[in-house]
Amino acid sequence: ALSAYGYRAQYYSHQGAVLKAVGEGKKAYKYYKKGKEFKEEHNEFYFMTGLFNYYIEQYPENHPIIKPMMGFFEKGNKEEGLAQLDYASKHALFTQGSAYMYISYLYTKFESNYEKSIYYTGKFHKMNPKNTLNKSNYILALLFNKNYEVALPYINSLKKEQSEFFLIAYHLYNGWYALEKNKDLKTALTQFEIVELLAQKNKDITTDFVALANYKRAQAYEELKLYDDAKNFYKLALNESSFEEIKNAYKELQENKR
């Protein structure tokens, strides 16, 4: 039940339904309190305990509107949450894969620690090379870390996937590679436009991809010195997601008064 309510809370969060996310979080909370008492006896409880410990602090930072509601919950600790997820990745059985996926996601999206994310996604890829979602997360961490040549064969492998979700990922990463490695702005912008078009039919699960495509479009327009267009795409990206990297890039553009 803890995992189910936790996943539903995350789903509503991705849809921008903040109050519904909090509601599901409250349902998960009573199971979290019970579960954390047993984590020393059952390693599986480290996963959701760590995830809850992290998000209970991170979520209000990205959604200040809910801060008055957070008195219902006990305080979390992001550092401790990451340590618990790390423990689950090493010692859990049924939740091990989820622990690997989530800890790498948190390090990429909120911590901007791409070396850590590469460590977890790379390790899990060696354990389970057929997990395409983890491979996609591995590519993203490599691109953020500017490991373009390492990322390229993995990017190309996504073309073989039947899922439209991973086709969208392919166009995002291909555009990213074209922009940053080849300095081919025309190809990059075309790829990002394809991401936006394909994502229209898959809005429930592609918000991060669209946000990242708009983030890279903003950077492309910065290269072209079209700063008003760049600002508009940064704003779109920030409306769709909460990557720390995007926040910092937009802040830097504003501080340069362009």
Side-chain angles (χ1 to χ4, degrees):
L2 174 58
S3 296
Y5 286 126
Y7 287 133
R8 288 177 67 178
Q10 186 182 41
Y11 170 80
Y12 285 127
S13 174
H14 283 169
Q15 301 312 303
V18 176
L19 295 181
K20 285 186 177 181
V22 173
E24 295 299 322
K26 286 182 177 179
K27 293 174 186 176
Y29 181 60
K30 63 180 180 180
Y31 293 102
Y32 157 77
K33 291 184 75 173
K34 291 179 181 178
K36 72 174 187 175
E37 296 173 7
F38 295 105
K39 69 180 189 302
E40 302 303 329
E41 300 169 38
H42 303 287
N43 292 336
E44 304 304 323
F45 284 107
Y46 271 89
F47 167 59
M48 282 307 298
T49 301
L51 196 60
F52 207 93
N53 219 351
Y54 187 93
Y55 264 115
I56 206 69
E57 292 297 311
Q58 180 65 46
Y59 197 73
E61 291 178 15
N62 294 326
H63 304 89
I65 192 173
I66 69 162
K67 285 185 178 180
M69 308 174 201
M70 298 310 291
F72 177 85
F73 303 99
E74 65 183 56
K75 280 190 167 293
N77 183 307
K78 290 199 286 187
E79 187 175 340
E80 184 179 353
L82 290 170
Q84 289 166 336
L85 288 169
D86 175 72
Y87 187 91
S89 75
K90 294 173 180 173
H91 302 287
L93 177 61
F94 299 109
T95 59
Q96 182 186 54
S98 295
Y100 269 113
M101 297 281 284
Y102 270 94
I103 194 169
S104 63
Y105 177 79
L106 298 177
Y107 272 122
T108 295
K109 190 168 187 176
F110 301 120
E111 300 293 319
S112 300
N113 188 332
Y114 308 120
E115 292 286 352
K116 283 275 192 180
S117 186
I118 289 168
Y119 167 76
Y120 288 106
T121 50
K123 189 173 180 180
F124 191 46
H125 180 67
K126 289 178 181 177
M127 294 167 59
N128 192 351
K130 292 184 179 180
N131 188 316
T132 311
L133 182 57
N134 178 69
K135 179 167 67 174
S136 176
N137 292 339
Y138 183 40
I139 295 167
L140 181 59
L142 288 168
L143 290 173
F144 266 127
N145 207 47
K146 306 185 189 305
N147 295 10
Y148 303 121
E149 292 303 326
V150 178
L152 185 59
Y154 295 109
I155 295 171
N156 290 333
S157 74
L158 291 178
K159 286 190 291 186
K160 302 173 186 176
E161 299 295 331
Q162 300 299 312
S163 166
E164 194 162 274
F165 178 84
F166 294 117
L167 181 62
I168 294 170
Y170 165 73
H171 287 292
L172 169 64
Y173 301 148
N174 195 40
W176 195 317
Y177 185 91
L179 177 66
E180 300 294 353
K181 178 63 176 176
N182 295 339
K183 307 301 179 185
D184 183 350
L185 273 66
K186 183 178 179 181
T187 296
L189 288 169
T190 298
Q191 292 293 296
F192 301 143
E193 287 170 10
I194 293 171
V195 171
E196 184 175 19
L197 288 170
L198 292 176
Q200 293 301 312
K201 295 184 290 183
N202 301 274
K203 287 184 178 180
D204 286 354
I205 56 174
T206 57
T207 51
D208 277 355
F209 287 158
V210 174
L212 289 166
N214 284 329
Y215 158 58
K216 300 313 289 187
R217 286 163 102 175
Q219 293 197 314
Y221 283 118
E222 276 194 81
E223 289 286 327
L224 295 168
K225 301 190 185 325
L226 297 172
Y227 298 118
D228 286 340
D229 289 328
K231 288 176 184 176
N232 288 335
F233 278 108
Y234 273 125
K235 289 175 184 177
L236 284 173
L238 289 170
N239 283 338
E240 292 150 351
S241 193
S242 50
F243 280 85
E244 201 63 30
E245 184 82 13
I246 302 176
K247 294 179 188 177
N248 292 336
Y250 182 47
K251 183 179 179 182
E252 184 178 344
L253 178 65
Q254 291 177 305
E255 288 176 349
N256 289 334
K257 298 181 179 179
R258 288 172 173 167

